[in-house]
């Protein structure tokens, strides 16, 4: 439900970034088949049962490995309340061997689902894919303040051919890229449609390695320039591809944030060979591009010393955000097969604990499960204690970029700079309120440094911004009390979307 709070900022108290994401895959399926379809996002059990009473021909349940028991329960409810419905299972949980015997179902789809589901309904699997018109997130909160700031959702394609041994999405789609939007024109058309329908000019691109196919990105940038569109994109990309296209191109395309797999300094993946990460992260940030670096903990190469060496290396890059993820041998992945053959998978660990943010479920030569949980929390805590809140680092990147892009004669870059100024101005009341909640000296120094930078570059705050910062303070104080009391879970309401072809 929450990408950032779940695996990036959960140790950052009231500064944690909160937002929910819809079930994109389900919306893709519904948009691309002929039968009228209802999507339930985040249903309670009661709401799910209520919907079953409508008498559906088919009920699709998509689940990931930790939701195995939920999928089982839902399938049993379908059999009990709507016995004539066929049950189709899909998603990353489907390779689990117990699916066959424990979850009631009629069909299982493993891998890409749109073409599979069309085939199931007797439709042409290969007719063009229609991209759903969706917001990327909802229910956002910054320092407890509800924000309506969202982005359009784009999924240009699924999977990645790089086949890194730990990577579930790559493996799940056969170590191939499955394109939905093959050309820059396809992407541009969807951006225009989303802008028209929902008003977004900013997009979250859910593609494992978006710049792997740079021709599509080049064409998209050309079309934006031709039509005077200053769209902005958050992307995932491996370092090799950023180096290939260059930062100037990222600015022209309107890339505002990059999710970058650093992984480990001890296991050099082809995608990271020869990459100077300190320079790359610093250069991206100094051009106003937010950077999230992700690292894997509990690789075979890790002992207690080298694990901390990797943690310190990742934090030392000084990115805006960090994801630490435990190595997670998921069913069917190469690492799962290897560890299974070596007898290292702990089969008694329930599936609800098979995710990268709890305890490892394989035998590691140097770490117990309990240690893995403690060390993961310590890694996130070390990042927060050393670098301060991600939010403030992000505000720092905006002002750094604004400074760097000064004086560019290129009208596209000048527009990007103006966009940085607008965003910095919007977030300034949060920065002003942050000093009251900075949790240690490093955080207080960060807030003071960034505040001084804002004052220097943008001048003093306006009266309106002062007033807004008082409102932020009130919300932030309430959020801090929630966190302190351990009431840190937000539950989204059920969202019902009905698709009619
Ligand atoms: S480059 Fe990234 S998306 Fe591609 S296989 Fe490796 S980890 Fe997965």
């Amino acid at each position: 439900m929450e990408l950032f709070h779940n695996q990036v900022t959960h140790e950052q108290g009231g500064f944690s970034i909160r937002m929910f994401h819809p079930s994109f895959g389900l919306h893709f399926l519904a948009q691309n088949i002929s039968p009228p379809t209802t999507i339930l996002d985040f249903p309670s059990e009661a709401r799910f049962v209520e919907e079953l009473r409508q008498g559906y021909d088919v009920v699709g349940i998509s689940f990931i490995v930790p939701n195995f028991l939920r999928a089982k329960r839902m399938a049993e409810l379908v059999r009990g309340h709507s016995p004539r419905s066929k049950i189709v299972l899909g998603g990353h949980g489907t390779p689990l061997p117990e699916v066959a015997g424990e979850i009631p179902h009629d069909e299982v789809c493993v891998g890409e689902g749109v073409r599979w589901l069309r085939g199931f309904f007797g439709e042409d699997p290969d007719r063009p894919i229609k991209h759903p018109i969706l917001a990327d997130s909802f229910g956002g909160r910054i320092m407890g303040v509800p924000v309506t700031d969202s982005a359009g959702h784009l999924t240009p394609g699924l999977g990645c051919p790089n086949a890194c041994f730990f990577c579930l999405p790559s493996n799940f789609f056969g170590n191939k890229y499955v394109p939905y939007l093959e050309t820059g024109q396809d992407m541009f058309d969807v951006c225009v449609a989303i802008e028209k329908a929902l008003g977004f000019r900013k997009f979250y691109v859910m593609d494992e390695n978006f710049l792997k196919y740079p021709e599509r990105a080049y064409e998209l940038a050309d079309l934006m320039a031709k039509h005077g569109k200053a769209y902005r994109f958050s992307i995932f990309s491996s370092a090799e591809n950023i180096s290939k296209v260059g930062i100037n191109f990222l600015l022209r395309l309107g890339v505002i944030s990059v999710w970058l797999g650093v992984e480990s300094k001890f296991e050099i993946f082809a995608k990271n060979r020869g990459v100077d990460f300190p320079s790359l992260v610093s250069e991206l940030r100094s051009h106003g591009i937010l950077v999230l670096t992700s690292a894997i903990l509990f690789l075979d190469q890790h002992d207690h010393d080298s694990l901390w060496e990797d943690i310190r290396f990742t934090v030392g890059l000084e990115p805006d955000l960090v994801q630490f993820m435990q190595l997670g041998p998921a069913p069917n992945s190469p690492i799962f097969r290897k560890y299974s053959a070596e007898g290292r998978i702990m089969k008694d660990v329930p599936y609800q604990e098979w995710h990268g943010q709890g305890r490892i479920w394989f035998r590691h030569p140097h770490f117990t499960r309990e240690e893995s949980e403690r060390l993961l929390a310590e890694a996130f805590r070390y990042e927060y204690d050393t670098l301060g809140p991600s939010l403030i680092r992000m505000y720092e990147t905006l002002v750094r970029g604004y400074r760097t892009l000064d004086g560019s004669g290129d009208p596209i870059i000048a527009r990007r700079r103006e966009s940085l100024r607008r965003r910095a101005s919007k977030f300034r009341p949060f920065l002003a309120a942050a000093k009251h909640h900075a949790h240690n000296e490093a955080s207080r120094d960060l807030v003071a440094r960034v505040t001084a930078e804002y004052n220097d570059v943008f001048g003093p705050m306006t009266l309106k911004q002062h007033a807004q910062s008082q409102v932020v303070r009130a919300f932030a104080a309430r959020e801090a009390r929630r966190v302190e009391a351990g009431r840190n879970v937000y539950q989204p309401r059920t969202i019902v979307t009905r698709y009619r072809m």
Side-chain angles (χ1 to χ4, degrees):
M1 300 192 306
E2 286 198 76
L3 177 62
F4 285 95
H5 181 68
N6 180 49
Q7 57 207 58
V8 181
T9 56
H10 54 72
E11 290 299 318
Q12 299 190 13
F15 287 107
S16 184
I17 297 168
R18 313 300 303 258
M19 66 179 88
F20 304 116
H21 304 279
S23 309
F24 307 123
L26 296 180
H27 289 272
F28 255 90
L29 296 171
Q31 184 74 75
N32 283 282
I33 53 175
S34 300
T37 304
T38 301
I39 301 295
L40 296 185
D41 271 314
F42 318 117
S44 62
E45 184 169 313
R47 184 65 188 79
F48 180 59
V49 169
E50 183 190 328
E51 195 65 30
L52 289 178
R53 296 206 176 99
Q54 305 277 328
Y56 285 93
D57 297 318
V58 179
V59 178
I61 301 171
S62 171
F63 66 104
I64 53 174
V65 173
N67 286 341
F68 175 82
L69 285 181
R70 289 202 175 102
K72 182 170 187 281
R73 173 75 181 152
M74 289 172 81
E76 288 164 355
L77 289 169
V78 178
R79 288 290 191 247
H81 292 274
S82 183
R84 74 174 192 85
S85 302
K86 281 198 166 26
I87 299 175
V88 176
L89 304 177
H92 287 273
T94 51
L96 292 173
E98 291 82 356
V99 166
E102 293 188 31
I103 304 185
H105 65 274
D106 298 280
E107 298 285 348
V108 181
C109 163
V110 182
E112 196 281 319
V114 169
R115 293 171 182 91
W116 185 96
L117 201 56
R118 285 172 170 173
F120 173 78
F121 285 116
E123 301 174 23
D124 173 10
D126 296 319
R127 73 185 147 86
I129 302 274
K130 200 169 166 204
H131 196 291
I133 304 296
L134 271 181
D136 170 76
S137 63
F138 63 94
R141 282 185 181 79
I142 299 177
M143 294 171 68
V145 181
V147 289
T148 51
D149 186 39
S150 182
H153 164 75
L154 286 179
T155 295
L158 307 172
C160 171
N162 281 16
C164 301
F165 70 83
F166 61 87
C167 181
L168 185 56
S170 181
N171 186 72
F172 191 68
F173 299 107
N175 298 326
K176 283 191 313 234
Y177 184 64
V178 183
Y180 281 160
L181 302 171
E182 293 201 47
T183 65
Q185 183 74 56
D186 292 342
M187 282 196 72
F188 183 74
D189 291 346
V190 174
C191 292
V192 171
I194 292 177
E195 181 187 7
K196 202 165 160 198
L198 305 175
F200 297 126
R201 287 192 286 269
K202 179 172 76 167
F203 302 90
Y204 212 103
V205 183
M206 297 299 284
D207 187 299
E208 302 295 341
N209 200 350
F210 175 61
L211 297 173
K212 180 86 184 163
Y213 303 96
E215 294 74 23
R216 179 176 56 189
Y218 294 145
E219 187 187 357
L220 175 60
D222 287 346
L223 285 164
M224 285 163 50
K226 182 172 160 196
H227 295 279
K229 296 287 188 189
Y231 293 141
R232 290 175 282 143
F233 302 95
S234 293
I235 64 168
F236 297 76
S237 175
S238 57
E240 54 170 353
N241 296 318
I242 292 179
S243 308
K244 256 184 229 160
V245 301
I247 287 191
N248 197 46
F249 173 71
L250 296 186
L251 291 172
R252 296 183 69 78
L253 180 62
V255 172
I256 54 173
S257 74
V258 177
W259 188 303
L260 190 62
V262 172
E263 321 306 5
S264 165
K265 62 189 285 196
F266 297 104
E267 169 85 40
I268 305 301
F269 297 89
K271 63 178 180 174
N272 290 340
R273 202 160 289 146
V275 174
D276 176 356
F277 275 108
S279 303
L280 180 62
V281 172
S282 165
E283 208 185 341
L284 285 164
R285 290 191 71 201
S286 69
H287 285 78
I289 297 174
L290 309 173
V291 183
L292 186 155
T293 53
S294 63
I296 305 174
L297 303 185
F298 310 110
L299 291 161
D300 274 357
Q301 294 89 329
H302 283 148
D303 58 19
H304 283 266
D305 289 337
S306 58
L307 184 91
W308 272 103
E309 209 176 314
D310 252 346
I311 293 167
R312 278 192 286 270
F313 173 71
T314 308
V315 171
L317 298 174
E318 300 189 358
D320 299 274
L321 299 135
V322 176
Q323 172 189 266
F324 289 113
M325 187 62 83
Q326 295 159 332
L327 180 66
N332 264 6
S333 63
I335 187 76
F336 181 83
R337 286 191 286 275
K338 178 173 183 281
Y339 284 8
S340 294
E342 294 168 359
R344 293 172 59 188
I345 299 293
M346 297 176 174
K347 297 207 172 109
D348 54 338
V349 176
Y351 284 136
Q352 56 267 36
E353 295 181 21
W354 287 38
H355 52 79
Q357 294 295 319
R359 299 174 176 192
I360 55 173
W361 60 93
F362 60 93
R363 286 182 190 82
H364 193 287
H366 299 290
F367 302 101
T368 63
R369 272 167 54 72
E370 290 67 27
E371 282 175 323
S372 73
E373 183 177 37
R374 177 177 56 76
L375 286 163
L376 179 76
E378 283 179 16
F380 277 117
R381 193 71 205 182
Y382 171 73
E383 178 219 347
Y384 183 42
D385 287 346
T386 307
L387 299 180
S390 285
L391 266 182
I392 310 305
R393 286 181 257 159
M394 292 158 77
Y395 300 158
E396 183 179 38
T397 298
L398 301 181
V399 68
R400 273 198 207 172
Y402 185 79
R403 264 198 202 278
T404 305
L405 301 186
D406 189 15
S408 170
D410 181 332
I412 293 180
I413 304 295
R415 271 176 94 170
R416 296 297 174 209
R417 182 168 186 259
E418 175 56 18
S419 161
L420 287 168
R421 189 198 60 74
R422 277 200 309 272
R423 286 156 64 206
S425 165
K426 187 164 126 192
F427 293 123
R428 202 152 170 198
F430 293 91
L431 175 60
K435 66 172 181 250
H436 304 283
H437 297 277
H439 76 296
N440 68 1
E441 207 172 324
S443 292
R444 284 188 286 277
D445 284 352
L446 172 71
V447 174
R449 189 176 74 233
V450 178
T451 303
E453 186 85 356
Y454 271 58
N455 289 340
D456 186 37
V457 173
F458 301 118
M461 288 209 298
T462 62
L463 281 176
K464 187 177 168 194
Q465 286 171 327
H466 275 293
Q468 287 170 331
S469 83
Q470 293 305 317
V471 176
V472 174
R473 271 186 77 175
F475 274 96
R478 196 177 66 167
E479 184 73 0
R481 286 195 295 275
R482 270 182 71 103
V483 174
E484 191 74 29
R487 289 182 290 111
N488 208 12
V489 175
Y490 286 104
Q491 172 65 37
R493 64 191 162 80
T494 304
I495 300 175
V496 181
T497 313
R498 300 193 195 277
Y499 286 81
R500 300 278 179 265
M501 282 291 276

